[in-house]
Amino acid sequence: MNYITVICDLVASRQLDNREEIQYKLIDTLKEANKRYSMDIVAPFVITIGDEWQGLLRYPCDYDMVLAFFKKNLSPVQFRCGIGIGETSIHDFELTVNQLDGPSFYKARQAIVLAKKHVHSLVLIK
């Protein structure tokens, strides 16, 4: 069974004058997204490293709607996104997203690396 792994990262967050305020805004945005899109979420969005966050969505679903929600609520701060579509090797979805593993996650990690390297806002690997 396929899933959609979403990894997002704030752009140049260390240079933000209001970094702490943005971190709290990100936390609130993730909480709201997890409630609002709960029907599509397999493993809720959480901050995984500094200003990076991840979540696991059902496949198929309208992940563009989730990304638009992030963009609206985090504006004017920009973020990059890597999306991987594939299977997971761990199927205990009571675990947090950072405890899960599998091809969907590898593809999303590769996608976010490419997004950063080539300065794209979104890269999807299927």
Side-chain angles (χ1 to χ4, degrees):
M1 176 178 244
N2 284 336
Y3 297 92
I4 301 170
T5 299
V6 177
I7 301 175
C8 299
D9 186 45
L10 295 180
V11 175
S13 65
R14 291 183 187 151
Q15 283 84 35
L16 295 172
D17 292 333
N18 58 342
R19 181 175 163 82
E20 183 178 350
E21 177 185 330
I22 296 301
Q23 287 285 62
Y24 282 111
K25 190 174 186 180
L26 175 58
I27 291 166
D28 290 342
T29 298
L30 296 181
K31 286 179 184 177
E32 182 61 29
N34 288 332
K35 288 181 203 167
R36 184 174 291 210
Y37 303 106
S38 63
M39 296 302 290
D40 290 326
I41 293 175
V42 178
F45 287 96
V46 296
I47 296 174
T48 52
I49 304 171
D51 59 1
E52 182 180 283
W53 67 97
Q54 282 187 46
L56 186 67
L57 304 174
R58 299 184 193 295
Y59 179 83
C61 77
D62 188 1
Y63 63 84
D64 281 330
M65 187 170 48
V66 178
L67 296 180
F69 177 81
F70 290 150
K71 185 175 182 176
K72 176 184 167 205
N73 284 277
L74 295 172
S75 182
V77 178
Q78 296 180 334
F79 63 92
R80 292 193 190 0
C81 183
I83 294 180
I85 298 176
E87 295 183 355
T88 63
S89 57
I90 297 175
H91 300 99
D92 181 354
F93 298 122
E94 290 184 12
L95 298 172
T96 58
V97 70
N98 57 326
Q99 295 174 306
L100 301 175
D101 192 33
S104 179
F105 290 90
Y106 311 150
K107 291 174 184 179
R109 178 59 55 197
Q110 181 182 4
I112 192 72
V113 168
L114 288 172
K116 290 176 184 180
K117 181 178 180 181
H118 297 289
V119 193
H120 295 304
S121 60
L122 173 67
V123 173
L124 183 146
I125 298 176
K126 187 171 183 181

